[in-house]
Amino acid sequence: MAKLYFFYSTMNAGKSTALLQSNYNYNERGMDTLLFLPKVDADANKNKIHSRIGLIADAISVDTSFDFFEYVQNLKNEKKVDAILIDEVQFLTKDQVRQICKISDTLNIPSMCYGIRTDFRGELFSGSMYLLAYADNLVELKTMCEYENCTRKATMVARFVNGELVTEGEKVV
């Protein structure tokens, strides 16, 4: 049976790079993948997943009403789907996470989800919360803390406004 993987970290840990590398590895072996990106990020990036090291790939833009299971099940009747990869999964809904679980469990397609676990207040994002609960494998991608020359592992996203660390405000800016 295929598994659902959740790769999580703070910002700048290489999540998109890891996703694009996995996609490359599948494609190099003649396997077909589907890449998805939530609309909130897709609109700003012209439906492309970008990594800071320059890797780029086209992705399918999804809004909160998008049904992953229905889409993949219908597409699977027309073409081979060997894996799905989703970036910025923190923006997914509980129902969408359950749909992704169903893809792996009933369609036997591995699902690899990449996203931020918590916001700058230390609160879980909805998509991340349900992926932490439902994923078969949890993988933390680590990066270094950038706050005041700290050299420890980063544990959460920090928000700065005019050079000052803030701990209150909207979840997403």
Side-chain angles (χ1 to χ4, degrees), residues 39 50 73 110 114 117 169:
K39 184 173 176 35
H50 294 260
Q73 184 178 39
Y114 298 78
R117 184 176 53 117

Side-chain angles (χ1 to χ4, degrees), residues 29-107:
R29 287 162 182 78
M31 302 172 92
D32 296 320
T33 58
L34 295 174
L35 278 61
F36 296 98
L37 188 62
K39 184 173 176 35
V40 64
D41 205 60
D43 286 353
N45 292 294
K46 299 178 182 165
N47 296 343
K48 295 187 184 305
I49 297 173
H50 294 260
S51 73
R52 286 180 177 76
I53 64 169
L55 302 174
I56 300 172
D58 291 327
I60 299 162
S61 176
V62 300
D63 62 18
T64 56
S65 66
F66 183 82
D67 188 317
F68 284 93
F69 182 78
E70 181 181 320
Y71 182 88
V72 173
Q73 184 178 39
N74 290 338
L75 190 62
K76 192 175 180 204
N77 294 329
E78 300 170 20
K79 68 177 243 170
K80 183 175 70 159
V81 178
D82 293 303
I84 66 168
L85 298 94
I86 310 165
D87 206 10
E88 304 294 350
V89 294
Q90 67 269 14
F91 298 121
L92 301 181
T93 67
K94 179 181 181 179
D95 286 341
Q96 288 175 319
V97 172
R98 286 187 170 170
Q99 294 159 14
I100 296 164
C101 290
K102 192 174 176 184
I103 290 168
S104 293
D105 292 345
T106 64
L107 300 179

